[in-house]
Amino acid sequence: MGARGAPSRRRQGGRRLRYLPTGSFPFLLLLLLLCIQLGGGQKKKENLLAEKVEQLMEWSSRRSIFRMNGDKFRKFIKAPPRNYSMIVMFTALQPQRQCSVCRQANEEYQILANSWRYSSAFCNKLFFSMVDYDEGTDVFQQLNMNSAPTFMHFPPKGRPKRADTFDLQRIGFAAEQLAKWIADRTDVHIRVFRPPNYSGTIALALLVSLVGGLLYLRRNNLEFIYNKTGWAMVSLCIVFAMTSGQMWNHIRGPPYAHKNPHNGQVSYIHGSSQAQFVAESHIILVLNAAITMGMVLLNEAATSKGDVGKRRIICLVGLGLVVFFFSFLLSIFRSKYHGYPYSDLDFE
């Protein structure tokens, strides 16, 4: 017989057993239920993620870029779980929107998505989608987006950062530039494959044929080949094209102009020194040509031996062209490169 108040212990078969307090059983039961619930929730997330990835892969098998409305955007992009990156082009392709830049950007975006879809590295870690304003107005409002086109990257975890929005105004929307940006954000490298374009080859063949035909017809009189004025005009055309930024346009693929979505005002001159519009290069080309024409007239007035009155008129016209258009050129230069001290000849 044990003493009263002694610890509750018994011996069975030479082993000592210690009984747990009766109050610990509800705690163990609660802990067990919690573990079961957490395991079930994790399993549910895994099943939901698998369903989402399976659906995205099915869409990608039919089309490299799938269109999304508000419900699909919230389900597959905003709502967790998600272990994939999503590139979204926010655009306005309906004819009534009259967004020519959107159509041009869509062509480059299609080339990029097709290059990824049919590459050997294609996997379920990156998808391409599109939200049109007329199909997902609520998405534009949710993201406080008021311009199109816009490219955004939605990472697998967390919210998009500032660098996850493509700087279209500065870089342009060429497929190669988009691929470089995607590689920086996702570490997925896409080699861009463009469909064959024979327009350049045909144009070159026509040019060669035209020159060859002209030389054949004039084979008995080829003095025009030694015409200095003709070669000077050809050289000036090449110089004007290069100095106006045509090569930059070809590489970067900028829009022709920019229309402000708030007031509808169209800008033909880009406000940054790191970018330009196609219309801006055309304006610079015309200004350079006018300034060159003025310099040619000044040279003609100084070197010719004709009538003095005529030479004076030519000189005044040439001087007017140089002063007016060079002043205009400096004003554009000043609006893009702030801080330069060329204000004396600014044209207002």
Side-chain angles (χ1 to χ4, degrees):
M1 296 179 62
R4 187 176 182 180
S8 178
R9 296 178 180 177
R10 295 181 181 179
R11 291 181 178 273
Q12 294 183 0
R15 296 177 61 185
R16 180 177 296 177
L17 300 178
R18 185 183 299 272
Y19 290 93
L20 295 173
T22 56
S24 63
F25 287 103
F27 174 76
L28 292 176
L29 181 61
L30 180 62
L31 183 61
L32 179 61
L33 292 175
L34 182 62
C35 292
I36 295 175
Q37 184 177 4
L38 290 176
Q42 184 66 25
K43 186 66 175 178
K44 184 178 179 180
K45 287 184 178 180
E46 293 178 356
N47 293 335
L48 179 60
L49 178 61
E51 292 176 1
K52 292 170 68 174
V53 173
E54 182 180 0
Q55 181 65 67
L56 292 174
M57 290 296 292
E58 181 183 351
W59 287 343
S60 297
S61 64
R62 292 181 292 180
R63 182 172 297 180
S64 56
I65 301 175
F66 38 85
R67 305 174 75 98
M68 287 194 169
N69 54 22
D71 295 335
K72 291 181 180 179
F73 180 83
R74 285 182 284 272
K75 177 180 179 181
F76 291 94
I77 297 180
K78 298 294 290 185
R82 192 174 71 248
N83 65 348
Y84 49 84
S85 293
M86 182 72 72
I87 307 298
V88 184
M89 175 185 177
F90 299 91
T91 185
L93 295 175
Q94 296 301 320
Q96 65 269 20
R97 300 299 173 186
Q98 297 181 356
C99 182
S100 59
V101 180
C102 296
R103 292 190 291 271
Q104 297 172 10
N106 181 55
E107 294 176 359
E108 293 294 318
Y109 191 52
Q110 191 72 48
I111 292 174
L112 176 64
N114 289 336
S115 299
W116 168 244
R117 172 64 185 84
Y118 298 105
S119 69
S120 59
F122 175 75
C123 62
N124 58 4
K125 298 301 180 182
L126 178 66
F127 297 99
F128 291 85
S129 63
M130 176 190 302
V131 177
D132 193 282
Y133 179 80
D134 294 282
E135 300 173 0
T137 307
D138 52 338
V139 178
F140 278 75
Q141 295 175 351
Q142 180 182 355
L143 298 176
N144 295 323
M145 191 172 297
N146 53 19
S147 63
T150 300
F151 297 94
M152 287 189 63
H153 164 243
F154 292 86
K157 296 181 180 179
R159 296 181 178 180
K161 300 178 181 179
R162 184 175 182 180
D164 288 312
T165 300
F166 183 68
D167 193 353
L168 184 144
Q169 296 296 335
R170 186 177 64 88
I171 305 177
F173 49 74
E176 290 78 8
Q177 297 299 326
L178 287 169
K180 183 179 179 181
W181 168 67
I182 292 174
D184 293 337
R185 304 311 304 165
T186 65
D187 290 332
V188 175
H189 297 271
I190 303 175
R191 184 180 178 183
V192 176
F193 292 95
R194 291 185 175 274
N197 185 359
Y198 301 104
S199 59
T201 305
I202 295 175
L204 180 61
L206 290 175
L207 179 61
V208 172
S209 301
L210 180 62
V211 173
L214 182 62
L215 292 176
Y216 178 78
L217 294 176
R218 299 290 299 272
R219 61 184 181 277
N220 296 326
N221 185 11
L222 299 179
E223 293 181 359
F224 70 95
I225 296 180
Y226 304 98
N227 190 315
K228 297 181 180 180
T229 304
W231 287 112
M233 294 298 294
V234 172
S235 301
L236 283 176
C237 290
I238 296 175
V239 170
F240 290 153
M242 295 297 105
T243 56
S244 63
Q246 295 296 335
M247 186 58 66
W248 192 93
N249 295 338
H250 180 73
I251 297 174
R252 299 295 182 88
Y256 186 82
H258 175 68
K259 184 177 182 180
N260 193 313
H262 299 292
N263 52 25
Q265 183 179 1
V266 180
S267 299
Y268 298 100
I269 305 296
H270 199 286
S272 172
S273 61
Q274 303 297 322
Q276 70 176 19
F277 298 131
V278 175
E280 180 179 341
S281 62
H282 294 167
I283 294 172
I284 299 300
L285 188 149
V286 172
L287 293 179
N288 286 336
I291 295 170
T292 303
M293 178 60 68
M295 296 299 296
V296 170
L297 291 178
L298 287 175
N299 180 73
E300 183 69 19
T303 58
S304 65
K305 299 180 180 181
D307 182 65
V308 176
K310 184 178 179 180
R311 292 170 57 189
R312 183 180 294 111
I313 294 175
I314 294 176
C315 179
L316 292 176
V317 173
L319 183 62
L321 288 174
V322 172
V323 172
F324 181 82
F325 288 104
F326 189 71
S327 175
F328 195 6
L329 184 63
L330 281 180
S331 66
I332 296 176
F333 185 77
R334 181 186 179 187
S335 66
K336 296 178 68 69
Y337 296 85
H338 304 283
Y340 274 75
Y342 303 115
S343 59
D344 295 337
L345 293 176
D346 277 355
F347 174 74
E348 300 295 344

